[in-house]
Amino acid sequence: MPQRTAVPRSNPAVGVCASVLPEQLPDDPAALKALLLAQQQAFEAREAERQAAFDAREAELQKAFEARILEIYEQLRLARRRMFGPSSESHAGQGWLFDEAEALAASAPEADDTATLPPPATEPSGQTPADAGKKKARGKRKPLPIELPRIDVIHDVPEAERTCACGTPMVEIGQDVSEQLDIVPMQVRVLRHIKKRYGCPKGDQAPVSARAPAQVLPKSNASNDLLAMLLVTKYVDGLPLARFEYVLARAGVLVPRQTLARWVIGTARALQPVANLMRDVLLGHDVIHMDETPVQVLKEPGRAATSKSQMWVQRGGPPGRPVILFEYDPSRAQAVPLRLLEGWKGHLMADGLESYGAIAFTEGVTRLGCWVHARRRFVDAGKVLPEGKRGRAHEALALIGKLYAIEKEARELNDAERLALRQSRSRAVIGELRGWLDQVLPTVPPTSILGGALGYLHRQWPRLTRYLERGDLPIDNNPAENAIRPFVVGRKAWLFSDTQAGARASALIYSLIETAKANNVEPYLWLRHVLRALPTATTVEHFEALLPWSLKAEQLITA
């Protein structure tokens, strides 16, 4: 049989996996048959490998597809929960916290249901303390504050009814006093400053005129007390300047909101020395909380009106003198914390935002992690589960709850006692949580809500556990979030700042007001006192005397 030369051919049905025949085929039919059988077996083996690889790829794609569907489902369920469900982060494990009322009620007699109210500032004449105690025990209404001014309204018996049936005139033997809360609406009035002028009848010297009291804004006709009320209505009560304009208009006073805005900015500039002293106190302490929230400023150079800027907040200060400072900045970049904390050394508590990354590498600055932010992610992971179902997220929440239970016990302890408690009990819980994390983390898809919570906990772990090193270090950033909340609530009313100058003025005034509130000082009374004294303050001692912790309550309660 003549030999045939075969041209290498590939099977188009299998593409690159096709078998290639050799150039020289054997003449022996048995050898040819064996060759073809070997070729067929090799082809089938390659086809089986190809099919296995294809099946593995299909399984991988199917797994990724199912993970993506689960991720979208979790996001949808979480979004619906956030929009329509309760906003509380409580979970089933907290139920035992509310058993205390039933336990106490079962052990207390019914006679203890009557609340004992504190006595008024002065006891009415002719009434013994024992009688007063009996009379107060019948009611549970909270008494009106004794520091509020009292106006006596006398209700007397008509003279015709003060004669006994026997003809003897009655005498006063006592009185019944009840108190009613009243309010005087905002009174818009005009202060006429009349400066007396005196001169010599002979004209031997120039006339002498009385000096008018100094004003915070001498070129305006706004009194210092009006400026204090203006700042409080906007930055404490959240009333936009446009609505305050309407309030004044109801009294017949037309003050455009642009004028009100200039008054706010001018007052903020005058208050800058007080804010500077507060910053010195803040940077003099080695623990600071930081947070930020968006603010819209319409007129920023080179930026659209819809751009989002940032309002940064810092909270710190030594015990008994808390300081809260706000700072406006168009940027959310890492340069902002570096600028605000330039030269400062200590422990910085913040969330996991990368804007705080650069400050953490500054010499002398140690960054702390917030357990509230870590816990919040597991709360979200628990919300995407079917109603009533408990999962791994609840296991993490239970362990984090143990840490907070220990912190609650340590609230009244000093720093040394709190550190000892953390070392003896919190560290054991931290170890248990770390073991649980190492076990669960590899088994959960990182793109799921639970996977994101686990990943955040893993990445932030060194910062989260750093609070165990000292008794005065915070476990979370709640103080900063609580400090920024009044700004966020007020923002819902006034919505935006018109200019950068207005945003900076707002930051300064929020700093003063929230610091006053943190020191348990009534903002309006304090601002009124400060603005009255500010024009004559010339030294550092004068300004230091105006700080909230430098004033006593009786200094503020003035007409």
Side-chain angles (χ1 to χ4, degrees), residues 200-217:
C200 177
K202 298 180 181 181
D204 291 341
Q205 76 175 55
V208 178
S209 298
R211 294 185 179 90
Q215 301 296 317
V216 174
L217 302 180

Side-chain angles (χ1 to χ4, degrees), residues 67-108:
R68 178 59 176 163
I69 292 296
L70 178 61
E71 179 184 353
I72 296 175
Y73 171 77
E74 289 181 341
Q75 293 175 352
L76 176 62
R77 187 176 178 86
L78 183 58
R80 289 173 60 88
R81 179 66 179 265
R82 286 174 174 170
M83 181 172 293
F84 303 110
S87 59
S88 172
E89 295 181 1
S90 61
H91 58 93
Q94 293 178 331
W96 62 271
L97 295 174
F98 303 97
D99 294 340
E100 183 181 10
E102 287 76 4
L104 293 178
S107 61

Side-chain angles (χ1 to χ4, degrees), residues 458-525:
H458 175 69
R459 294 189 302 271
Q460 295 289 320
W461 188 261
R463 300 170 184 168
L464 290 170
T465 58
R466 201 162 281 150
Y467 82 100
L468 299 175
E469 299 173 0
R470 280 172 37 178
D472 63 331
L473 296 181
I475 189 175
D476 56 41
N477 204 27
N478 268 352
E481 293 197 355
N482 293 336
I484 211 169
R485 186 171 292 114
F487 173 84
V488 175
V489 173
R491 184 182 58 196
K492 294 181 179 179
W494 47 260
L495 300 178
F496 54 82
S497 293
D498 186 57
T499 64
Q500 290 183 325
R504 293 189 178 94
S506 296
L508 187 142
I509 297 168
Y510 268 116
S511 301
L512 300 179
I513 287 176
E514 293 306 317
T515 298
K517 290 164 60 177
N519 285 272
N520 299 316
V521 177
E522 204 286 315
Y524 170 70
L525 295 179

Side-chain angles (χ1 to χ4, degrees), residues 144 275 353 431 505:
L144 299 175
L353 186 68

Side-chain angles (χ1 to χ4, degrees), residues 39-307:
Q39 288 286 332
Q40 182 179 359
Q41 291 175 348
F43 172 75
E44 291 175 351
R46 285 193 294 270
E47 281 294 304
E49 293 178 0
R50 177 177 173 274
Q51 186 64 36
F54 178 80
D55 293 341
R57 177 60 178 167
E58 282 291 309
E60 182 180 349
L61 292 176
Q62 181 66 23
K63 185 178 180 180
F65 175 75
E66 293 175 355
R68 178 59 176 163
I69 292 296
L70 178 61
E71 179 184 353
I72 296 175
Y73 171 77
E74 289 181 341
Q75 293 175 352
L76 176 62
R77 187 176 178 86
L78 183 58
R80 289 173 60 88
R81 179 66 179 265
R82 286 174 174 170
M83 181 172 293
F84 303 110
S87 59
S88 172
E89 295 181 1
S90 61
H91 58 93
Q94 293 178 331
W96 62 271
L97 295 174
F98 303 97
D99 294 340
E100 183 181 10
E102 287 76 4
L104 293 178
S107 61
E110 293 184 1
D112 290 343
D113 286 348
T114 303
T116 302
L117 302 182
T122 57
E123 294 288 348
S125 59
Q127 186 178 9
T128 64
D131 294 337
K134 293 178 182 177
K135 185 171 294 185
K136 295 186 200 74
R138 287 199 297 267
K140 299 180 182 179
R141 180 183 299 164
K142 185 177 181 181
L144 299 175
I146 61 175
E147 63 269 15
L148 291 179
R150 257 69 174 175
I151 305 297
D152 291 338
V153 181
I154 307 299
H155 303 281
D156 208 346
V157 179
E159 187 174 355
E161 300 179 11
R162 285 185 279 173
T163 303
C164 181
C166 67
T168 304
M170 295 182 179
V171 296
E172 184 177 348
I173 60 173
Q175 61 185 13
D176 297 321
V177 179
S178 63
E179 293 190 335
Q180 186 179 44
L181 186 63
D182 187 33
I183 189 170
V184 178
M186 183 187 299
Q187 183 184 27
V188 181
R189 61 186 183 182
V190 177
L191 299 180
R192 297 180 64 228
H193 292 276
I194 303 173
K195 299 185 294 182
K196 295 288 187 177
R197 186 170 59 250
Y198 294 87
C200 177
K202 298 180 181 181
D204 291 341
Q205 76 175 55
V208 178
S209 298
R211 294 185 179 90
Q215 301 296 317
V216 174
L217 302 180
K219 295 184 179 181
S220 76
N221 61 347
S223 72
N224 297 333
D225 291 5
L226 170 60
L227 296 177
M229 177 59 68
L230 174 63
L231 300 185
V232 169
T233 54
K234 176 173 172 60
Y235 296 102
V236 178
D237 303 328
L239 193 70
L241 296 181
R243 297 182 193 172
F244 192 70
E245 176 187 358
Y246 302 149
V247 172
L248 297 177
R250 290 203 304 266
V253 181
L254 301 180
V255 182
R257 65 198 68 174
Q258 293 82 359
T259 300
L260 296 176
R262 287 194 293 271
W263 288 356
V264 170
I265 294 174
T267 306
R269 289 172 180 166
L271 290 168
Q272 185 68 56
V274 181
N276 292 343
L277 292 177
M278 290 181 176
R279 177 166 292 279
D280 292 342
V281 175
L282 176 80
L283 298 180
H285 192 56
D286 66 343
V287 177
I288 290 181
H289 298 256
M290 268 191 98
D291 200 2
E292 76 293 324
T293 189
V295 61
Q296 185 177 359
V297 181
L298 299 183
K299 299 174 184 176
E300 287 183 306
R303 305 184 73 193
T306 55
S307 301

Side-chain angles (χ1 to χ4, degrees), residues 300-318:
E300 287 183 306
R303 305 184 73 193
T306 55
S307 301
K308 293 296 183 182
S309 298
Q310 298 295 317
M311 188 66 78
W312 298 77
V313 65
Q314 305 161 80
R315 177 165 184 159

Side-chain angles (χ1 to χ4, degrees), residues 375-388:
R375 180 186 182 277
R376 190 170 296 154
R377 294 169 181 265
F378 286 104
V379 171
D380 290 342
K383 289 179 179 179
V384 302
L385 296 175
E387 196 69 29

